[in-house]
């Protein structure tokens, strides 16, 4: 549960997927100070749900590698979008 909370905090604090934050940090070290902060998880698996330009929630996945956690969310959101467009 704590790891999920950390991913959610990352998404809600920075307004981007946790994988995006990880990726930017790999390039620029912009989020380096948060890596050892136990409130955040700078890795994949957290994704913002944005409706009408407002963050209304998060989708959080954990248990696989952080790349796989992120990809599961992306795949599910793609399927959801297709289903919504079919209605």
């Amino acid at each position: 549960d704590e790891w999920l909370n950390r991913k959610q905090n990352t998404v809600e604090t920075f307004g981007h997927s946790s994988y995006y934050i990880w990726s930017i940090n790999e390039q620029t070290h912009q989020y380096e100070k948060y890596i050892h902060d136990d409130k955040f998880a700078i890795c994949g698996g957290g994704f913002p749900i944005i409706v009408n330009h407002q963050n209304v929630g998060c989708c959080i996945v954990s248990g696989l590698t952080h790349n796989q956690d992120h990809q599961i969310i992306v795949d599910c959101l793609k399927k959801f979008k297709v289903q919504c467009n079919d209605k």
Side-chain angles (χ1 to χ4, degrees):
D1 290 343
E2 184 177 334
W3 197 248
L4 296 172
N5 290 334
R6 291 173 68 178
K7 289 183 180 190
Q8 182 174 346
N9 287 341
T10 302
V11 171
E12 290 177 347
T13 299
F14 301 113
H16 293 283
S17 75
S18 58
Y19 189 83
Y20 174 83
I21 299 301
W22 173 83
S23 178
I24 293 297
N25 191 63
E26 287 291 299
Q27 297 170 29
T28 68
H29 305 286
Q30 177 178 345
Y31 300 98
E32 201 71 24
K33 66 182 179 180
Y34 299 102
I35 288 181
H36 299 293
D37 187 329
D38 63 359
K39 294 181 211 153
F40 300 99
I42 309 301
C43 62
F47 204 93
I49 305 299
I50 301 170
V51 177
N52 295 325
H53 306 289
Q54 291 189 351
N55 189 342
V56 297
C58 298
C59 182
I60 310 295
V61 172
S62 190
L64 302 170
T65 67
H66 80 118
N67 295 337
Q68 292 171 318
D69 287 346
H70 181 78
Q71 194 61 52
I72 286 172
I73 296 169
V74 170
D75 293 344
C76 288
L77 289 175
K78 282 181 183 178
K79 287 179 184 179
F80 181 73
K81 183 178 179 183
V82 168
Q83 289 175 350
C84 287
N85 288 338
D86 289 344
K87 291 183 179 183

